[in-house]
Amino acid sequence: DADGRWRYYNSDLTVSGALNLDDRSETPRFYTLRSNDFEVKLSGDDIRAGGTLVHPASGTPVTDVTIRHSLASGEGQAILDVPGITFGEGLQPEELTRLTEGVIALVQGTVRGQGEISWSGEGDVTSTGEFSTAGMDLAAPFGPVTGLTTTVRFTDLLNLETAPGQSATVASINPGILVENGTIRYQLLPNQLVRIERGEWPFMGGRLILHETILNFGRPTPKRLTFEVVGFDAKQFIDSLGFQGIEITGTFDGVLPMIFDEEGGRIVGGRLDSRQPGGEFSYNGTKPKAGLAVGLAFDLLSNIRYQQMTIRLDGDLAGEFAT
């Protein structure tokens, strides 16, 4: 759907106007973009081209493109400058690319950065880029995320691959239990795989550590995350849940294996073990009016001092939970 004017003067050919841009790949990485100010200039064996590409439906600017190519050597370069794409009610990432479908949704925030694609006369292609966001909110398969701040440095922009050691800070993630002020190290791998190298959050007086794992966003698969709990304060946890009449003291360490799939998130085989010297547990709710055995059991629960305790955890993070 190209349309415009051309001019040939002093052996230079200039074509300017509007066009649509599509990905020629069999599995397109981006949907059709529109430019109303694209220009191509041929001078000798040198081609220069560029313009602003926008999302056709909303008119939102996506990237400013600058291209050069030498007909003699076959070498060239494309610069993709993204001054800022703001996502919200008017535009979501899945309207630009299929690659975010099932990965993120309800995105609120701005992405900016620059990419560079270079090619040689022998057909070799390299692509790099650096893109950043600050304070982004979104929905992910493992729960709502707020305050995501990261800079992604691509070693292969066309295939969305990075070097190890990318870093992100997150104000909060809520997979069923809220965790705040976390740091995550990650790497983007081919075929929409994400390698989580490590994540860490302050948690209930201690730390919550996410062990290394690989998440497959290329197809619907269960996402398996294993969290290590270090120095967990039982009192803070019980107080945060708002249980009436239950009190517990003690410090625990343990592991929380989690699985996230189409049915939601759940803990499978979680375990917390108390540190020495133990602590106390008591239930001081309403005493039932029943027989002697029930009364004795209630009195026992009202004040238990323990030296060692193991808590096993299984259940739906958003539903019924067994301890």
Side-chain angles (χ1 to χ4, degrees):
D1 294 322
D3 180 26
R5 300 176 65 85
W6 62 270
R7 181 173 186 260
Y8 185 72
Y9 180 73
N10 282 346
S11 299
D12 293 343
L13 173 65
T14 302
V15 182
S16 58
L19 54 79
N20 289 340
L21 180 72
D22 290 302
D23 190 347
R24 295 174 61 188
S25 171
E26 292 182 1
T27 53
R29 290 153 292 194
F30 62 89
Y31 299 128
T32 300
L33 296 173
R34 179 73 176 168
S35 178
N36 295 311
D37 62 356
F38 213 83
E39 182 174 278
V40 180
K41 184 174 182 179
L42 171 62
S43 180
D45 68 352
D46 183 64
I47 297 177
R48 302 290 171 120
T52 298
L53 298 173
V54 304
H55 176 242
S58 66
T60 303
V62 175
T63 180
D64 297 322
V65 180
T66 304
I67 301 171
R68 64 170 184 81
H69 179 74
S70 170
L71 293 173
S73 67
E75 297 177 349
Q77 179 188 58
I79 302 296
L80 311 175
D81 187 39
V82 179
I85 308 173
T86 298
F87 296 108
E89 291 184 5
L91 181 67
Q92 286 293 297
E94 62 264 26
E95 297 177 66
L96 299 178
T97 174
R98 63 175 179 82
L99 298 176
T100 64
E101 294 175 8
V103 181
I104 56 174
L106 304 176
V107 178
Q108 300 280 338
T110 300
V111 175
R112 52 177 53 88
Q114 187 178 86
E116 179 179 318
I117 305 170
S118 300
W119 54 90
S120 69
E122 290 74 39
D124 298 323
V125 178
T126 60
S127 59
T128 59
E130 184 173 301
F131 295 87
S132 301
T133 189
M136 176 175 282
D137 299 340
L138 54 89
F142 39 80
V145 177
T146 67
L148 171 66
T149 298
T150 187
T151 296
V152 187
R153 296 174 177 86
F154 291 97
T155 54
D156 186 342
L157 179 61
L158 291 175
N159 291 309
L160 299 179
E161 298 175 28
T162 72
Q166 308 296 306
S167 179
T169 59
V170 183
S172 72
I173 299 179
N174 192 348
I177 300 173
L178 179 67
V179 290
E180 299 177 294
N181 302 317
T183 301
I184 300 172
R185 291 203 313 270
Y186 65 94
Q187 178 184 12
L188 304 184
L189 300 172
N191 303 315
Q192 289 185 264
L193 299 180
V194 179
R195 174 174 168 247
I196 303 295
E197 299 172 359
R198 180 184 172 91
E200 186 166 344
W201 294 262
F203 184 63
M204 302 296 172
R207 290 180 297 146
L208 188 68
I209 299 170
L210 174 57
H211 289 184
E212 182 174 334
T213 187
I214 292 181
L215 306 177
N216 187 347
F217 290 105
R219 55 190 177 90
T221 57
K223 310 298 186 286
R224 300 179 183 273
L225 305 175
T226 299
F227 291 90
E228 179 184 357
V229 179
V230 180
F232 173 93
D233 186 316
K235 184 178 187 309
Q236 283 193 32
F237 180 62
I238 291 297
D239 289 348
S240 72
L241 295 178
F243 289 140
Q244 299 297 316
I246 295 179
E247 293 186 9
I248 184 170
T249 64
T251 301
F252 291 76
D253 304 302
V255 63
L256 301 176
M258 296 187 185
I259 299 176
F260 296 89
D261 55 23
E262 292 84 354
E263 298 177 359
R266 60 192 183 276
I267 292 180
V268 180
R271 174 174 174 146
L272 300 173
D273 292 291
S274 64
R275 292 181 180 179
Q276 293 294 330
E280 295 186 6
F281 172 86
S282 63
Y283 174 68
N284 298 306
T286 303
K287 188 171 183 176
K289 295 179 180 180
L292 177 63
V294 174
L296 288 173
F298 187 87
D299 289 340
L300 175 65
L301 287 173
S302 67
N303 188 9
I304 293 177
R305 290 187 296 275
Y306 69 89
Q307 291 179 312
Q308 197 278 334
M309 182 185 290
T310 295
I311 302 175
R312 298 185 183 275
L313 304 161
D314 285 279
D316 189 339
L317 288 170
E320 195 154 305
F321 209 86
T323 62

